[in-house]
Amino acid sequence: MKRAGFSTPWLPVLLLVPQLAIIAIFFYWPAIVALHSSFFLQDPFGFGSTFVGLDNYTNLLGSAEYRRVAVFTLTFTLLVTVFSLALALLLAVKADKVLRGAKTYRTLLMWVYAVAPPVAGFIAVILFNQSWGPLTELFALFGHTYMVGVNFNDTAFAMILASVWKQVPVNFIFFLSALQSIPRSVREAALIDNRSASGRFWDVTFPLLAPTGFFLLIINITYALFETFGIVDTVVKGEPGNNPMTLVYKVYVDGFRGNDLGGSSAQSVILMVLVLALTVFQFRLLERRIHYT
Amino acid sequence: MRKPKLSTVIDHAVLIAGSLFLMLPLLMLLQMTTIPDTEIIQTGPSLKIGDQFGDNLEKAMLQASGFSGENTGMSMLKNSFILGIGFAVGKIVIGMTAAYAIVYFRLRFATLAFWLIFTTLLLPLEVRILPSYEVVQRLGMLNTYQGLIIPLIASATATFFFRQFFRSVPEELVEAARIDGAGPVKFFVDILVPLSKTMIAAMFIIMFVYGWNQYLWPTMITTDEDMYTLVRGIKQIVQVLEGAVVPEFGRSNVLALVAVVPPVLVVVFFQSWFVKGLTESDK
């Protein structure tokens, strides 16, 4: 709030009404409904529901299927985050270093940001086509018959590859902008103190990138958890079966296809808690970050 | 001429490899649209450039691929633009007005409104997808543009962004405006909006791409084929390809490419605004 603000009484209310109305109807109402129905067992034919307390939650946590999906989601998130961050960092450092063609490289390395996740999944389906996919043929050279949608690990790898491909540009943009904001004086001082390029990178550049890295870590975890939905859905071709899937995908499959509203809502609530925890963690990091600059 | 240093050569090699890694998959999609489908099912993607692109483009854009005969590429393209632009404009208008109210007015319940709005940043639509669907269904908004766009707007990213920006606008400006007798509406329209032009442009690009690329929400909300967006249509493309004797890769790849080209062009052409908006909004 500005010190010298206006004090017209009705105008700010009028200005806030659209925003508040939309979030009340499409944010708070659904969130409360999710919380509410996670404590109920829905009749599959739509004849009301019974209060079951924490049963939906205990059922979930006791279910081997749910634990399997959770473990996969964790592995998937970890791999996607690590690989897309590492690859983007490497490319950003090089793009920051070269003199010739810097602008062209920047464009070439960031435009995939605009590609929709399901298109990335669609590309993976083609690359791993059973009979003529280029990557299937590559794996065949090493004696591995690649089968997306049949073999669990094969499907998982295709998902991870597509997810990393789609996420590298975002990380690249942030790393590059962080690198370019390192003051000249710091770089020159480092050049005098440390003659080896890799030494300079690990002792000076890398610590200066740490705040961006932490921030990106959260962004990437959120991406792997939620935004990869389109990739998962296209790679499994809408047929989850025994295929790998993420927690968000399971919310959709159980609730939308399986009509298990209570179970799906409980899953939503668990995810909400997870995201809240991540956000609190992020805010604490941000607070600490201020001291850096 | 000086011999280039080895490290420079390595730098360029890494960058070229990275660019190829990102670019090749889409070039492959493009190549597949130039050769006949009967050839694809034998050889798959290759280096050959054929002459089928025009035919496939026509098939993809003008012929319907679904059952109702209504989801041609053109109609999906139109829906994608409506979603992308509608989402971006809605988000910016609502975000700017709300941020203006929060930053520039003495308001009772200001803290409450602030928290109500910014809590929405915490939970993405994906975690409350089913109840949101039910709400939209109860409001009779399935298969409508409102049902597609408005629930997606229900998060405060743009509001937060404009709040940060308005707070960085010098205090003297509003004081001067008040001394000159400008009311709140005039100050907003004549001073604040022109001042925010770059920010609005950056937000528009980011939000347009975000809206255009939505998948899960349109998949649930639109079941009528004439409401499909291009990105939502990918799901159907994959399913149709699965069942076909001679899968029409030429046509489906054109559709996938058409789904990619507009947002990519926006990002590439307005690169500096886009990068500025992205790196500043998320901090």
Side-chain angles (χ1 to χ4, degrees), chain A residues 1-9 11-13 15-16 18-20 22-23 25-31 33-34 87 90-92 94-95 97-101 103 105-119 122-123 125-127 129 131-134 137 161 164-166 168-170 172-174 177 212 215 219 222 226-227 229-230 233-234 237-239 248-249 251-252 254-257 261 264-265 268-269 271-273 275-276 279 282-283 286 289, chain B residues 7 10-12 14-16 18-19 21-23 25-26 28-29 32 40-45 94-95 97-98 100-107 113 115-117 119-120 122-124 126-136 138-139 141 150-151 153-156 159 166-171 174-175 178 182-185 187 206 209 213 215-216 219-220 231 234-235 237-239 241-242 249 252-253 256 259-260 263-264 267-268 271-272 274-275 278-279 282-283:
Chain A
M1 155 89 218
K2 299 263 182 191
R3 272 184 295 115
F6 296 102
S7 41
T8 328
L11 188 65
V13 178
L15 290 172
L16 278 171
Q19 171 95 66
L20 288 175
I22 288 181
I23 60 174
I25 299 172
F26 296 107
F27 184 87
Y28 286 103
W29 186 11
V33 168
L87 211 55
L90 173 72
L91 292 168
K94 299 293 182 200
K97 220 170 120 197
V98 294
L99 300 171
R100 234 176 247 208
K103 265 195 157 167
Y105 285 130
R106 199 180 80 154
T107 309
L108 286 176
L109 292 167
M110 68 178 243
W111 65 276
V112 166
Y113 170 88
V115 175
V119 175
F122 177 65
I123 292 170
V125 169
I126 290 184
L127 284 171
N129 182 291
S131 30
W132 43 254
E137 284 172 1
L161 187 66
V164 171
W165 180 77
K166 160 80 188 109
V168 164
V170 187
F172 171 79
I173 294 168
F174 277 97
S177 106
T212 307
F215 164 77
I219 295 283
T222 322
F226 301 111
E227 286 161 53
F229 180 92
D233 196 37
T234 35
K237 295 160 191 149
E239 297 298 330
V248 169
Y249 197 70
V251 172
Y252 166 78
D254 287 1
F256 206 57
R257 299 249 194 96
L261 207 65
S264 165
S265 298
S268 290
V269 174
L271 279 175
M272 287 187 201
V273 173
V275 182
L276 282 178
T279 317
Q282 182 185 11
F283 277 142
L286 276 176
R289 236 184 91 172
Chain B
S7 72
I10 294 175
D11 291 347
H12 282 276
V14 169
L15 288 169
I16 291 169
S19 308
F21 168 68
L22 292 172
M23 205 163 37
L26 284 142
M28 174 191 78
L29 286 192
M32 289 169 75
I40 291 178
I41 56 171
Q42 285 161 4
T43 62
I94 284 172
T97 49
Y100 182 52
I102 290 172
V103 176
Y104 282 96
F105 287 88
R106 283 171 222 286
L107 194 64
W115 282 109
L116 277 177
I117 292 173
T119 308
T120 61
L122 307 183
L123 299 177
E126 283 88 347
V127 305
R128 52 197 159 84
I129 194 90
L130 272 151
S132 297
Y133 173 83
E134 280 182 8
V135 167
V136 170
R138 241 187 264 177
L139 296 173
M141 281 162 55
I150 298 172
I153 297 178
S155 100
T159 316
F166 289 164
R167 279 159 63 113
S168 75
V169 171
E171 196 102 355
V174 66
E175 280 167 15
R178 286 181 68 175
V185 176
F187 174 72
I206 293 169
V209 173
N213 284 346
Y215 177 73
L216 175 55
T219 302
M220 297 180 71
V231 173
I234 300 283
K235 192 188 185 76
I237 290 174
V238 174
Q239 280 162 353
L241 285 177
E242 274 304 284
F249 279 102
S252 15
N253 289 11
V260 165
V264 166
V267 163
V268 169
Q271 214 179 101
S272 53
F274 158 72
V275 170
L278 193 70
T279 49
D282 280 330
K283 275 179 187 165

Side-chain angles (χ1 to χ4, degrees), chain B:
Chain B
M1 204 183 112
R2 216 156 54 91
K3 221 179 118 200
K5 271 173 37 188
L6 179 67
S7 72
T8 316
V9 175
I10 294 175
D11 291 347
H12 282 276
V14 169
L15 288 169
I16 291 169
S19 308
L20 286 177
F21 168 68
L22 292 172
M23 205 163 37
L24 279 181
L26 284 142
L27 289 181
M28 174 191 78
L29 286 192
L30 185 63
Q31 185 272 333
M32 289 169 75
T33 63
T34 67
I35 51 176
D37 293 325
T38 44
E39 210 168 300
I40 291 178
I41 56 171
Q42 285 161 4
T43 62
S46 60
L47 294 175
K48 192 180 131 190
I49 305 294
D51 57 359
Q52 298 291 305
F53 182 75
D55 287 358
N56 281 322
L57 184 66
E58 199 187 315
K59 249 198 284 180
M61 298 314 285
L62 301 175
Q63 282 176 30
S65 46
F67 308 102
S68 67
E70 275 160 353
N71 62 334
T72 58
M74 286 312 274
S75 100
M76 291 197 270
L77 186 66
K78 184 193 80 186
N79 291 334
S80 284
F81 270 111
I82 291 176
L83 175 56
I85 294 174
F87 173 73
V89 170
K91 195 112 180 174
I92 289 170
V93 169
I94 284 172
M96 268 187 99
T97 49
Y100 182 52
I102 290 172
V103 176
Y104 282 96
F105 287 88
R106 283 171 222 286
L107 194 64
R108 253 203 272 176
F109 312 118
T111 330
L112 178 69
F114 176 82
W115 282 109
L116 277 177
I117 292 173
F118 291 110
T119 308
T120 61
L121 288 175
L122 307 183
L123 299 177
L125 180 64
E126 283 88 347
V127 305
R128 52 197 159 84
I129 194 90
L130 272 151
S132 297
Y133 173 83
E134 280 182 8
V135 167
V136 170
Q137 187 184 33
R138 241 187 264 177
L139 296 173
M141 281 162 55
L142 294 181
N143 287 310
T144 63
Y145 291 120
Q146 307 89 283
L148 197 58
I149 295 170
I150 298 172
L152 287 172
I153 297 178
S155 100
T157 40
T159 316
F160 191 67
F161 180 77
F162 282 112
R163 171 181 171 262
Q164 301 294 83
F165 176 68
F166 289 164
R167 279 159 63 113
S168 75
V169 171
E171 196 102 355
E172 291 75 18
L173 223 55
V174 66
E175 280 167 15
R178 286 181 68 175
I179 292 167
D180 287 347
V185 176
K186 196 168 167 54
F187 174 72
F188 184 69
V189 175
D190 286 349
I191 297 174
L192 215 49
V193 170
L195 211 60
S196 323
K197 256 189 208 151
T198 320
M199 294 293 138
I200 296 174
M203 263 294 103
F204 184 85
I205 295 160
I206 293 169
M207 293 301 165
F208 172 76
V209 173
Y210 185 85
W212 180 284
N213 284 346
Q214 282 303 306
Y215 177 73
L216 175 55
W217 186 245
T219 302
M220 297 180 71
I221 292 304
T222 58
T223 44
D224 286 352
E225 288 181 339
D226 62 334
M227 287 297 295
Y228 281 12
T229 62
L230 285 160
V231 173
R232 192 249 180 266
I234 300 283
K235 192 188 185 76
Q236 196 191 27
I237 290 174
V238 174
Q239 280 162 353
V240 170
L241 285 177
E242 274 304 284
V245 184
V246 179
E248 290 185 296
F249 279 102
R251 166 212 229 144
S252 15
N253 289 11
V254 169
L255 285 173
L257 287 170
V258 174
V260 165
V261 168
V264 166
L265 286 182
V266 168
V267 163
V268 169
F269 276 117
F270 303 107
Q271 214 179 101
S272 53
W273 285 348
F274 158 72
V275 170
K276 191 174 154 60
L278 193 70
T279 49
E280 281 179 12
S281 68
D282 280 330
K283 275 179 187 165

Side-chain angles (χ1 to χ4, degrees), chain A residues 49-190:
Chain A
S49 50
T50 354
F51 181 76
V52 291
L54 289 172
D55 277 11
N56 285 323
Y57 292 95
T58 46
N59 284 348
L60 269 182
L61 298 176
S63 126
E65 158 80 1
Y66 189 71
R67 280 206 301 265
R68 190 184 69 117
V69 175
V71 168
F72 173 74
T73 309
L74 200 70
T75 325
F76 174 78
T77 306
L78 192 74
L79 290 173
V80 170
T81 305
V82 168
F83 280 107
S84 54
L85 280 176
L87 211 55
L89 180 59
L90 173 72
L91 292 168
V93 168
K94 299 293 182 200
D96 182 46
K97 220 170 120 197
V98 294
L99 300 171
R100 234 176 247 208
K103 265 195 157 167
T104 316
Y105 285 130
R106 199 180 80 154
T107 309
L108 286 176
L109 292 167
M110 68 178 243
W111 65 276
V112 166
Y113 170 88
V115 175
V119 175
F122 177 65
I123 292 170
V125 169
I126 290 184
L127 284 171
F128 289 109
N129 182 291
Q130 192 68 75
S131 30
W132 43 254
L135 290 184
T136 310
E137 284 172 1
L138 183 71
F139 275 94
L141 293 180
F142 298 98
H144 177 71
T145 317
Y146 208 97
M147 286 189 285
V148 164
V150 179
N151 181 317
F152 186 91
N153 288 333
D154 286 358
T155 317
F157 180 76
M159 282 176 190
I160 292 167
L161 187 66
S163 306
V164 171
W165 180 77
K166 160 80 188 109
Q167 188 65 2
V168 164
V170 187
N171 296 337
F172 171 79
I173 294 168
F174 277 97
F175 275 135
L176 187 62
S177 106
L179 280 167
Q180 288 174 342
S181 69
I182 296 178
R184 242 194 130 69
S185 54
V186 174
R187 292 180 189 228
E188 280 161 5

